[in-house]
Amino acid sequence: MTIWEAVAVVIAGVFAGGINTVVGSGTLVTFPVLLAVGYPPVVANVSNSLGLVPGSLSGAWGYREELKGQRSRIVRLLPASILGGVVGAILLVTLPDKAFTAIVPVLIVIALVLVVIQPWLNRKLSHRRGTGDGGVLLWLGVFAAGIYGGYFGAAQGVLVMGIMGVLVNEHLQRMNALKNVLTAFVNLVAGVLFIFIADVAWPVVLLLAVGSVIGGQIGAKVGRKLSPAVLRGVIVVVGVAAIVQLLTK
């Protein structure tokens, strides 16, 4: 990387850390940047997942007030996220690179659709919440979202929020705090596995880690004041750019 490419990666990490904390689609910012600076898709995805772990933990810490009283939920759902992350990471490194290149554009389209409809989804969830703690259906849903997150991760947080919103009777901000914890551990367990079983671009990991930690704190403190429409617009633009890059390689 040149110095300017390194700066671009750090800035992308800042945006991703903030977006992951507030919306949950930061990979749609960082992944296209890593492709643009010349990294192969699988290496970019692996390094991105590992590099965004500190930012996810930073965002979860920033939402610690909303986590109060949710220890039992965390204890119950965290194993589902961890197991899902392991399965997704193993799928990423065992399936051929061509499968990833073919599958990810479809996943990005799904992620972009989720990002675009999230305001509508949130409005629906604010009027229709589950009657309890979700039971087995919630556990299985979080596990499935973990598999998705371990494999690619874009809009993983939106998936988790949608699942919890339908099945759990809780305030959206408290669900968002729980989402930050669950997705942070998916990224963490996948990242640890990638250290041992995949090719990692360590300069990228370091640069993204620095940027995403800063972004996670910004997202936790001022993210609610930012225009959601602007954030979603940026995400859609860079997501489409990622699809174009993947399809033209």
Side-chain angles (χ1 to χ4, degrees):
M1 283 186 293
T2 67
I3 183 65
W4 294 114
E5 288 173 339
V7 169
V9 172
V10 172
I11 293 173
V14 173
F15 273 97
I19 291 169
N20 276 341
T21 303
V22 180
V23 182
S25 311
T27 292
L28 291 178
V29 174
T30 50
F31 186 67
V33 172
L34 297 183
L35 293 179
V37 300
Y39 286 97
V42 174
V43 174
N45 185 56
V46 166
S47 305
N48 178 75
S49 295
L50 192 56
L52 293 183
V53 168
S56 299
L57 296 173
S58 175
W61 176 254
Y63 266 85
R64 61 191 179 278
E65 288 298 316
E66 287 85 355
L67 287 172
K68 289 181 177 177
Q70 298 201 74
R71 178 176 296 181
S72 62
R73 281 188 185 137
I74 294 173
V75 170
R76 182 162 58 90
L77 295 176
L78 205 53
S81 287
I82 291 172
L83 289 173
V86 169
V87 173
I90 291 173
L91 287 174
L92 177 64
V93 297
T94 54
L95 293 176
D97 290 359
K98 289 183 179 180
F100 180 84
T101 305
I103 293 169
V104 165
V106 178
L107 295 181
I108 293 177
V109 170
I110 294 171
L112 291 177
V113 171
L114 288 169
V115 169
V116 170
I117 70 170
Q118 191 184 29
W120 172 84
L121 182 63
N122 283 348
R123 287 194 298 271
K124 289 293 183 182
L125 298 182
S126 67
H127 297 295
R128 179 189 175 187
R129 297 188 186 133
T131 57
D133 259 10
V136 175
L137 282 179
L138 178 61
W139 200 96
L140 292 174
V142 170
F143 172 68
I147 295 174
Y148 176 90
Y151 187 81
F152 183 51
Q156 174 194 179
V158 181
L159 282 174
V160 174
M161 284 291 286
I163 292 165
M164 290 194 298
V166 171
L167 297 172
V168 179
N169 184 16
E170 184 58 272
H171 191 276
L172 282 175
Q173 288 300 334
R174 283 172 60 79
M175 286 195 294
N176 192 49
L178 179 59
K179 173 266 293 180
N180 285 335
V181 172
L182 298 177
T183 56
F185 274 87
V186 170
N187 291 339
L188 178 60
V189 70
V192 170
L193 281 174
F194 292 149
I195 291 173
F196 297 101
I197 62 177
D199 293 327
V200 178
W202 288 107
V204 167
V205 172
L206 178 60
L207 294 171
L208 286 179
V210 171
S212 66
V213 166
I214 297 170
Q217 289 302 303
I218 294 172
K221 291 180 180 179
V222 303
R224 298 184 187 93
K225 299 178 183 179
L226 299 176
S227 168
V230 171
L231 282 176
R232 289 185 176 85
V234 170
I235 291 167
V236 168
V237 169
V238 296
V240 170
I243 293 172
V244 172
Q245 284 179 295
L246 284 169
L247 295 180
T248 55
K249 276 188 175 292

